[in-house]
Amino acid sequence: MNNKSKNFLKGIKDTSPLMIPVVPFGIIFGVLAIDLGLTPITTIAMSVIIFGGASQIIFLQLFSAGASSLVILSSVGAVNSRHLLYGTVLSEHLSGLNLTWKIIVSYFLVDQAFAVSNNHFKKNKNDKDKHFHLLGGGLNCWTIWQITTLIGIYLGSIIPEKLGLTFAIPLTFLALLVNDFRKLINVIVIITSGTVATLGYQIIPFKAYVIVAALIGLFVAIILTKFVKKKL
């Protein structure tokens, strides 16, 4: 087995344990998309094009609330902007790749793939084929996400309409926030953002309450972080 194959398979192996929570997340997305009236083709296309769990759920939430296209696109872009940071961090390891390879690996640069590949790159700085680790890990994430989306689409088409599963959207986000409740600053930011979003749902025009709440939450986080640093 050559070095490229070893890196590729190691990427798959390293990301596999992280796929356990992705499975129900992908299924929920597929079910909700069908429940909200999207066609199977549109749902699959969204998973292929956007390829981001949190941003796809936000898309569904705003779509179901009747938000404008501008608000939906800007919100999805804001959530996915963290990938700019991922790219910046990995740029020192992948700067030698040609443009084609950079485009390919950037598409597969999701949270789980970044986490394991960044660690792998640090330990194998001189390996010229190390980007195959990111390719393997990212492709593993992509495959699991598409399969679970398809499962969700199938389940969504057979679940009775009366059941209604739109409640799963806020429940999914609450599950994502559980770990953040361990720090007081995080709790303050969450409560602030949640309060602004709730109060602004009927007040803020163009259904832009998500963006406004996120910006205010970010501002509060910056203020609190600077305050804590000064105290230390």
PDB file of all heavy atoms in Angstrom, residues 190-204 209-214 216-217:
ATOM      1  N   ILE A 190     -25.580  32.930  25.217  1.00  0.00           N
ATOM      2  CA  ILE A 190     -26.719  32.141  24.728  1.00  0.00           C
ATOM      3  C   ILE A 190     -28.039  32.788  25.137  1.00  0.00           C
ATOM      4  O   ILE A 190     -28.962  32.922  24.326  1.00  0.00           O
ATOM      5  CB  ILE A 190     -26.642  30.694  25.259  1.00  0.00           C
ATOM      6  CG1 ILE A 190     -25.485  29.941  24.584  1.00  0.00           C
ATOM      7  CG2 ILE A 190     -27.954  29.953  25.017  1.00  0.00           C
ATOM      8  CD1 ILE A 190     -25.173  28.605  25.218  1.00  0.00           C
ATOM      9  N   ILE A 191     -28.130  33.193  26.407  1.00  0.00           N
ATOM     10  CA  ILE A 191     -29.362  33.819  26.898  1.00  0.00           C
ATOM     11  C   ILE A 191     -29.620  35.145  26.178  1.00  0.00           C
ATOM     12  O   ILE A 191     -30.757  35.444  25.780  1.00  0.00           O
ATOM     13  CB  ILE A 191     -29.284  34.053  28.425  1.00  0.00           C
ATOM     14  CG1 ILE A 191     -29.289  32.697  29.156  1.00  0.00           C
ATOM     15  CG2 ILE A 191     -30.440  34.921  28.906  1.00  0.00           C
ATOM     16  CD1 ILE A 191     -29.076  32.804  30.651  1.00  0.00           C
ATOM     17  N   THR A 192     -28.556  35.930  25.981  1.00  0.00           N
ATOM     18  CA  THR A 192     -28.691  37.219  25.292  1.00  0.00           C
ATOM     19  C   THR A 192     -29.179  37.029  23.862  1.00  0.00           C
ATOM     20  O   THR A 192     -30.143  37.671  23.418  1.00  0.00           O
ATOM     21  CB  THR A 192     -27.348  37.969  25.272  1.00  0.00           C
ATOM     22  OG1 THR A 192     -26.881  38.165  26.610  1.00  0.00           O
ATOM     23  CG2 THR A 192     -27.489  39.319  24.578  1.00  0.00           C
ATOM     24  N   SER A 193     -28.509  36.133  23.124  1.00  0.00           N
ATOM     25  CA  SER A 193     -28.885  35.875  21.728  1.00  0.00           C
ATOM     26  C   SER A 193     -30.304  35.320  21.631  1.00  0.00           C
ATOM     27  O   SER A 193     -31.089  35.732  20.765  1.00  0.00           O
ATOM     28  CB  SER A 193     -27.910  34.881  21.087  1.00  0.00           C
ATOM     29  OG  SER A 193     -26.601  35.390  21.075  1.00  0.00           O
ATOM     30  N   GLY A 194     -30.633  34.394  22.527  1.00  0.00           N
ATOM     31  CA  GLY A 194     -31.969  33.796  22.521  1.00  0.00           C
ATOM     32  C   GLY A 194     -33.061  34.818  22.815  1.00  0.00           C
ATOM     33  O   GLY A 194     -34.125  34.805  22.186  1.00  0.00           O
ATOM     34  N   THR A 195     -32.774  35.715  23.759  1.00  0.00           N
ATOM     35  CA  THR A 195     -33.743  36.759  24.116  1.00  0.00           C
ATOM     36  C   THR A 195     -33.969  37.719  22.957  1.00  0.00           C
ATOM     37  O   THR A 195     -35.117  38.064  22.625  1.00  0.00           O
ATOM     38  CB  THR A 195     -33.256  37.555  25.347  1.00  0.00           C
ATOM     39  OG1 THR A 195     -33.056  36.652  26.441  1.00  0.00           O
ATOM     40  CG2 THR A 195     -34.280  38.615  25.743  1.00  0.00           C
ATOM     41  N   VAL A 196     -32.875  38.148  22.323  1.00  0.00           N
ATOM     42  CA  VAL A 196     -32.978  39.062  21.181  1.00  0.00           C
ATOM     43  C   VAL A 196     -33.753  38.414  20.034  1.00  0.00           C
ATOM     44  O   VAL A 196     -34.615  39.042  19.404  1.00  0.00           O
ATOM     45  CB  VAL A 196     -31.575  39.492  20.691  1.00  0.00           C
ATOM     46  CG1 VAL A 196     -31.667  40.284  19.386  1.00  0.00           C
ATOM     47  CG2 VAL A 196     -30.871  40.323  21.749  1.00  0.00           C
ATOM     48  N   ALA A 197     -33.442  37.137  19.747  1.00  0.00           N
ATOM     49  CA  ALA A 197     -34.122  36.423  18.663  1.00  0.00           C
ATOM     50  C   ALA A 197     -35.614  36.269  18.954  1.00  0.00           C
ATOM     51  O   ALA A 197     -36.458  36.448  18.062  1.00  0.00           O
ATOM     52  CB  ALA A 197     -33.483  35.052  18.459  1.00  0.00           C
ATOM     53  N   THR A 198     -35.946  35.960  20.212  1.00  0.00           N
ATOM     54  CA  THR A 198     -37.351  35.773  20.592  1.00  0.00           C
ATOM     55  C   THR A 198     -38.135  37.080  20.501  1.00  0.00           C
ATOM     56  O   THR A 198     -39.232  37.129  19.928  1.00  0.00           O
ATOM     57  CB  THR A 198     -37.451  35.215  22.029  1.00  0.00           C
ATOM     58  OG1 THR A 198     -36.729  33.978  22.110  1.00  0.00           O
ATOM     59  CG2 THR A 198     -38.909  34.974  22.417  1.00  0.00           C
ATOM     60  N   LEU A 199     -37.554  38.151  21.066  1.00  0.00           N
ATOM     61  CA  LEU A 199     -38.234  39.451  21.041  1.00  0.00           C
ATOM     62  C   LEU A 199     -38.268  40.042  19.632  1.00  0.00           C
ATOM     63  O   LEU A 199     -39.222  40.736  19.261  1.00  0.00           O
ATOM     64  CB  LEU A 199     -37.525  40.432  21.993  1.00  0.00           C
ATOM     65  CG  LEU A 199     -37.548  40.064  23.487  1.00  0.00           C
ATOM     66  CD1 LEU A 199     -36.741  41.071  24.290  1.00  0.00           C
ATOM     67  CD2 LEU A 199     -38.987  40.023  23.993  1.00  0.00           C
ATOM     68  N   GLY A 200     -37.223  39.748  18.866  1.00  0.00           N
ATOM     69  CA  GLY A 200     -37.136  40.333  17.533  1.00  0.00           C
ATOM     70  C   GLY A 200     -37.869  39.565  16.452  1.00  0.00           C
ATOM     71  O   GLY A 200     -37.956  40.030  15.311  1.00  0.00           O
ATOM     72  N   TYR A 201     -38.417  38.403  16.799  1.00  0.00           N
ATOM     73  CA  TYR A 201     -39.102  37.561  15.798  1.00  0.00           C
ATOM     74  C   TYR A 201     -40.225  38.322  15.090  1.00  0.00           C
ATOM     75  O   TYR A 201     -40.387  38.223  13.877  1.00  0.00           O
ATOM     76  CB  TYR A 201     -39.658  36.308  16.482  1.00  0.00           C
ATOM     77  CG  TYR A 201     -40.369  35.377  15.530  1.00  0.00           C
ATOM     78  CD1 TYR A 201     -39.650  34.570  14.651  1.00  0.00           C
ATOM     79  CD2 TYR A 201     -41.765  35.306  15.510  1.00  0.00           C
ATOM     80  CE1 TYR A 201     -40.303  33.715  13.767  1.00  0.00           C
ATOM     81  CE2 TYR A 201     -42.424  34.452  14.628  1.00  0.00           C
ATOM     82  CZ  TYR A 201     -41.689  33.662  13.764  1.00  0.00           C
ATOM     83  OH  TYR A 201     -42.337  32.824  12.894  1.00  0.00           O
ATOM     84  N   GLN A 202     -40.990  39.106  15.857  1.00  0.00           N
ATOM     85  CA  GLN A 202     -42.099  39.854  15.277  1.00  0.00           C
ATOM     86  C   GLN A 202     -41.737  41.303  14.970  1.00  0.00           C
ATOM     87  O   GLN A 202     -42.438  41.983  14.220  1.00  0.00           O
ATOM     88  CB  GLN A 202     -43.306  39.840  16.253  1.00  0.00           C
ATOM     89  CG  GLN A 202     -43.872  38.469  16.533  1.00  0.00           C
ATOM     90  CD  GLN A 202     -44.583  37.874  15.332  1.00  0.00           C
ATOM     91  OE1 GLN A 202     -44.867  38.559  14.358  1.00  0.00           O
ATOM     92  NE2 GLN A 202     -44.876  36.569  15.386  1.00  0.00           N
ATOM     93  N   ILE A 203     -40.626  41.777  15.543  1.00  0.00           N
ATOM     94  CA  ILE A 203     -40.282  43.192  15.422  1.00  0.00           C
ATOM     95  C   ILE A 203     -39.298  43.476  14.294  1.00  0.00           C
ATOM     96  O   ILE A 203     -39.475  44.414  13.502  1.00  0.00           O
ATOM     97  CB  ILE A 203     -39.671  43.715  16.752  1.00  0.00           C
ATOM     98  CG1 ILE A 203     -40.673  43.509  17.899  1.00  0.00           C
ATOM     99  CG2 ILE A 203     -39.294  45.189  16.633  1.00  0.00           C
ATOM    100  CD1 ILE A 203     -40.109  43.801  19.255  1.00  0.00           C
ATOM    101  N   ILE A 204     -38.246  42.661  14.209  1.00  0.00           N
ATOM    102  CA  ILE A 204     -37.174  42.904  13.228  1.00  0.00           C
ATOM    103  C   ILE A 204     -37.666  42.560  11.825  1.00  0.00           C
ATOM    104  O   ILE A 204     -38.154  41.446  11.596  1.00  0.00           O
ATOM    105  CB  ILE A 204     -35.926  42.078  13.580  1.00  0.00           C
ATOM    106  CG1 ILE A 204     -35.399  42.485  14.961  1.00  0.00           C
ATOM    107  CG2 ILE A 204     -34.829  42.269  12.530  1.00  0.00           C
ATOM    108  CD1 ILE A 204     -34.273  41.622  15.480  1.00  0.00           C
ATOM    109  N   TYR A 209     -34.042  38.327  12.337  1.00  0.00           N
ATOM    110  CA  TYR A 209     -33.791  38.212  13.775  1.00  0.00           C
ATOM    111  C   TYR A 209     -32.614  37.297  14.099  1.00  0.00           C
ATOM    112  O   TYR A 209     -31.912  37.495  15.095  1.00  0.00           O
ATOM    113  CB  TYR A 209     -35.051  37.733  14.497  1.00  0.00           C
ATOM    114  CG  TYR A 209     -35.564  36.384  14.040  1.00  0.00           C
ATOM    115  CD1 TYR A 209     -35.197  35.212  14.688  1.00  0.00           C
ATOM    116  CD2 TYR A 209     -36.433  36.287  12.949  1.00  0.00           C
ATOM    117  CE1 TYR A 209     -35.665  33.981  14.269  1.00  0.00           C
ATOM    118  CE2 TYR A 209     -36.906  35.057  12.528  1.00  0.00           C
ATOM    119  CZ  TYR A 209     -36.522  33.913  13.184  1.00  0.00           C
ATOM    120  OH  TYR A 209     -36.979  32.691  12.763  1.00  0.00           O
ATOM    121  N   VAL A 210     -32.374  36.286  13.263  1.00  0.00           N
ATOM    122  CA  VAL A 210     -31.255  35.364  13.499  1.00  0.00           C
ATOM    123  C   VAL A 210     -29.916  36.099  13.366  1.00  0.00           C
ATOM    124  O   VAL A 210     -29.025  35.966  14.210  1.00  0.00           O
ATOM    125  CB  VAL A 210     -31.299  34.177  12.509  1.00  0.00           C
ATOM    126  CG1 VAL A 210     -30.051  33.324  12.650  1.00  0.00           C
ATOM    127  CG2 VAL A 210     -32.538  33.332  12.757  1.00  0.00           C
ATOM    128  N   ILE A 211     -29.787  36.904  12.310  1.00  0.00           N
ATOM    129  CA  ILE A 211     -28.537  37.644  12.067  1.00  0.00           C
ATOM    130  C   ILE A 211     -28.303  38.667  13.167  1.00  0.00           C
ATOM    131  O   ILE A 211     -27.197  38.787  13.711  1.00  0.00           O
ATOM    132  CB  ILE A 211     -28.580  38.339  10.694  1.00  0.00           C
ATOM    133  CG1 ILE A 211     -28.685  37.301   9.585  1.00  0.00           C
ATOM    134  CG2 ILE A 211     -27.337  39.202  10.486  1.00  0.00           C
ATOM    135  CD1 ILE A 211     -28.872  37.886   8.208  1.00  0.00           C
ATOM    136  N   VAL A 212     -29.360  39.437  13.520  1.00  0.00           N
ATOM    137  CA  VAL A 212     -29.239  40.457  14.563  1.00  0.00           C
ATOM    138  C   VAL A 212     -28.871  39.822  15.897  1.00  0.00           C
ATOM    139  O   VAL A 212     -27.987  40.306  16.615  1.00  0.00           O
ATOM    140  CB  VAL A 212     -30.558  41.251  14.698  1.00  0.00           C
ATOM    141  CG1 VAL A 212     -30.487  42.221  15.874  1.00  0.00           C
ATOM    142  CG2 VAL A 212     -30.850  42.010  13.410  1.00  0.00           C
ATOM    143  N   ALA A 213     -29.530  38.717  16.244  1.00  0.00           N
ATOM    144  CA  ALA A 213     -29.244  38.024  17.507  1.00  0.00           C
ATOM    145  C   ALA A 213     -27.814  37.502  17.539  1.00  0.00           C
ATOM    146  O   ALA A 213     -27.131  37.589  18.564  1.00  0.00           O
ATOM    147  CB  ALA A 213     -30.230  36.869  17.697  1.00  0.00           C
ATOM    148  N   ALA A 214     -27.339  36.985  16.410  1.00  0.00           N
ATOM    149  CA  ALA A 214     -25.973  36.455  16.333  1.00  0.00           C
ATOM    150  C   ALA A 214     -24.948  37.574  16.492  1.00  0.00           C
ATOM    151  O   ALA A 214     -23.944  37.419  17.211  1.00  0.00           O
ATOM    152  CB  ALA A 214     -25.765  35.744  15.001  1.00  0.00           C
ATOM    153  N   ILE A 216     -25.367  40.549  17.975  1.00  0.00           N
ATOM    154  CA  ILE A 216     -25.402  41.053  19.355  1.00  0.00           C
ATOM    155  C   ILE A 216     -24.726  40.058  20.298  1.00  0.00           C
ATOM    156  O   ILE A 216     -23.974  40.451  21.207  1.00  0.00           O
ATOM    157  CB  ILE A 216     -26.857  41.327  19.795  1.00  0.00           C
ATOM    158  CG1 ILE A 216     -27.416  42.510  18.998  1.00  0.00           C
ATOM    159  CG2 ILE A 216     -26.920  41.601  21.304  1.00  0.00           C
ATOM    160  CD1 ILE A 216     -28.868  42.821  19.285  1.00  0.00           C
ATOM    161  N   GLY A 217     -24.974  38.764  20.081  1.00  0.00           N
ATOM    162  CA  GLY A 217     -24.314  37.744  20.891  1.00  0.00           C
ATOM    163  C   GLY A 217     -22.803  37.786  20.747  1.00  0.00           C
ATOM    164  O   GLY A 217     -22.065  37.650  21.729  1.00  0.00           O
TER     165      GLY A 217
END
